[in-house]
Amino acid sequence: MTTVDLPLLPLGRGQDPSSERGVECPGDLPAASDPDLVARARAAKDALGDRVFVLGHHYQRDEVIQFADVTGDSFKLAREAAARPDAEYVVFCGVHFMAESADILTAPHQQVVLPDLAAGCSMADMARLAQVERAWEALADAGLADSVVPVTYMNSSADIKAFCGRHGGVVCTSSNAEVALEWAFGQKPDAKVLFLPDQHLGRNTAVLQMGMSLEDCVVWNPLLPGGGLPAEQLRDARMILWKGHCSVHGRFAPEVVDELRATMPGVRVLVHPECRHEVVTRADEVGSTEYIIKAVEAAPPGTRWAIGTELNLVRRLAEDHPEQEIAFLDKTVCYCSTMNRIDLPHLVWALESLVTGTVVNRIEVDPDTEREALVALQRMLDLPGRSHRD
Ligand code: 13P
Ligand code: SF4
């Protein structure tokens, strides 16, 4: 056997703590059929009071989001975590990389809990540190060491963020990718960006927001020597896009946009920038989860929408806005399976354990990784203004 870079573990099984796929939950969980789960979660949260702060990403289930003290996209949640120094415990209802970022941004006395360790992110798993280091060496061998600035999407593991901190790079989210790229291109004369790990966010931002051409973007395949790119293509590229994608957003298809336009006259197509370029170019509006919510909230009654992002969020928007006609952009795209790992039994187990003084599923980034990742995260938090897509 050769490499352990990409262990193919069935979700939640086996032992691979360094993988975003996580490990099986070790806890003695309450049964999902327990009719008292809501009351138990409420009682545990009340007992903890201000000692606990619960963050909920927009893709979380209803049964969980009702207990969030604040909901948001990954950028907002990162800032909210950093702004709560008094909370002893931060319970992160989201996925592993988000809980890692919260741990990095909170004070050492604060403990971050992810109710199910198997709540990883398949996109984050597509860029492993060993692969990125190999790519960096190959770029240096190609004579590009002095011109490449690494930019990583928030949806990446802490060690990838640390890599960016070490190499003069920055973190971005779907709501500030344009500002982060502008910053990166301003760092060096003739700068190129190595964009990790979501090729779609990188391409969509470069082409649709920054006016680059598709030819300015090349895709680095970590499974091929030299990324599978001829030297002259690398030399001419401005954006070197890592070959990663979101397994949920990557499934929205351009044909469905065309079909919906035929069957829903006047529909406004609103998608997340993790969708493929062919989908995004057919959309009327593109933006982060926070942007999508604000766009719907601001629209007049009777507006027709087809929304391409995670189903929990779209379903909630449709329920909260009966005065508008809100459709999901696909018949077959499912919930994000890892976001959905956080359910009420896991939340109750995590909160009740805290009440008894036991911290379960603590997410703790090692100090060296934390220090370097914080450099890249802080550069993001210090970026001027926000994109219009937040
Ligand atoms: P945002 O929360 O930044 O919009 O990202 C969406 C996502 O896929 C999170 O996993
Ligand atoms: Fe990862 Fe996509 Fe799920 Fe977000 S929606 S956690 S990017 S797999």
Side-chain angles (χ1 to χ4, degrees):
M1 288 298 290
T2 45
T3 173
V4 289
D5 276 356
L6 285 169
L8 295 173
L9 298 174
L11 187 69
R13 301 261 174 255
Q15 286 291 323
D16 183 20
S18 67
S19 163
E20 278 285 317
R21 285 180 186 83
V23 295
E24 201 158 17
C25 184
D28 188 8
L29 299 176
S33 56
D34 182 341
D36 295 331
L37 284 180
V38 169
R40 285 173 64 176
R42 179 73 51 218
K45 209 164 165 252
D46 287 350
L48 289 161
D50 291 342
R51 294 171 64 207
V52 71
F53 189 61
V54 180
L55 297 166
H57 188 271
H58 291 309
Y59 296 164
Q60 290 288 293
R61 297 160 176 261
D62 288 349
E63 68 192 45
V64 167
I65 212 85
Q66 64 179 318
F67 292 104
D69 292 308
V70 67
T71 60
D73 63 5
S74 44
F75 184 84
K76 182 174 164 192
L77 294 179
R79 288 207 307 197
E80 291 284 348
R84 289 295 184 295
D86 296 334
E88 209 174 315
Y89 308 120
V90 174
V91 174
F92 211 118
C93 299
V95 290
H96 188 261
F97 70 79
M98 297 179 179
E100 280 188 330
S101 298
D103 181 52
I104 293 165
L105 290 167
T106 48
H109 69 273
Q110 296 180 283
Q111 304 190 61
V112 177
V113 167
L114 182 66
D116 185 350
L117 291 180
C121 166
S122 52
M123 179 203 284
D125 264 347
M126 290 177 195
R128 314 273 297 179
L129 183 61
Q131 295 176 318
V132 175
E133 278 174 342
R134 274 200 296 274
W136 197 252
E137 277 165 31
L139 291 170
D141 291 346
L144 301 173
D146 292 335
S147 52
V148 182
V149 179
V151 177
T152 191
Y153 189 19
M154 183 70 113
N155 301 21
S156 56
S157 55
D159 57 9
I160 299 293
K161 293 184 178 80
F163 174 91
C164 289
R166 243 187 340 272
H167 293 285
V170 67
V171 176
C172 74
T173 71
S174 55
S175 56
N176 63 12
E178 181 185 5
V179 191
L181 283 181
E182 273 163 9
W183 176 90
F185 280 110
Q187 294 309 297
K188 295 177 177 178
D190 300 323
K192 297 177 189 301
V193 163
L194 172 63
F195 193 88
L196 301 152
D198 184 14
Q199 58 167 304
H200 301 303
L201 177 65
R203 184 181 296 106
N204 289 329
T205 310
V207 175
L208 299 174
Q209 290 186 261
M210 301 181 72
M212 286 185 224
S213 69
L214 284 174
E215 291 68 42
D216 288 327
C217 306
V218 292
V219 177
W220 182 279
N221 183 344
L223 304 180
L224 295 176
L229 291 167
E232 67 277 9
Q233 260 195 52
L234 259 184
R235 203 189 44 234
D236 295 343
R238 298 186 65 200
M239 288 287 285
I240 304 167
L241 305 170
W242 194 260
K243 195 171 190 300
H245 66 273
C246 165
S247 43
V248 177
H249 292 91
R251 294 192 57 193
F252 291 106
E255 312 79 73
V256 180
V257 178
D258 298 341
E259 279 166 31
L260 275 170
R261 287 207 187 278
T263 54
M264 282 180 84
V267 70
R268 290 196 65 73
V269 177
L270 173 55
V271 301
H272 194 281
E274 288 174 16
C275 292
R276 287 183 277 152
H277 193 63
E278 315 83 270
V279 173
V280 167
T281 47
R282 280 171 166 78
D284 298 296
E285 293 184 57
V286 189
S288 74
T289 49
E290 222 30 43
Y291 176 92
I292 289 171
I293 293 168
K294 285 181 190 158
V296 171
E297 282 172 354
T303 306
R304 295 184 131 185
W305 295 103
I307 304 183
T309 191
E310 210 271 345
L311 187 49
N312 275 310
L313 172 56
V314 181
R315 215 180 23 74
R316 246 188 323 267
L317 278 171
E319 278 163 21
D320 293 349
H321 295 278
E323 79 287 0
Q324 301 186 28
E325 201 182 318
I326 298 179
F328 189 51
L329 188 58
D330 201 286
K331 290 191 210 59
T332 56
V333 176
C334 305
Y335 297 100
C336 171
S337 60
T338 49
M339 280 278 179
N340 261 11
R341 297 285 308 202
I342 313 290
D343 57 10
L344 202 45
H346 283 88
L347 182 61
V348 168
W349 171 67
L351 290 172
E352 287 183 347
S353 301
L354 292 178
V355 172
T356 63
T358 308
V359 180
V360 294
N361 290 2
R362 181 171 180 194
I363 302 299
E364 204 174 3
V365 177
D366 76 79
D368 289 342
T369 306
E370 174 159 329
R371 187 175 33 78
E372 291 179 327
L374 186 57
V375 172
L377 275 163
Q378 196 56 51
R379 284 186 187 127
M380 174 185 84
L381 294 169
D382 292 343
L383 287 173
R386 298 277 308 271
S387 150
H388 64 285
R389 288 171 197 274
D390 64 358

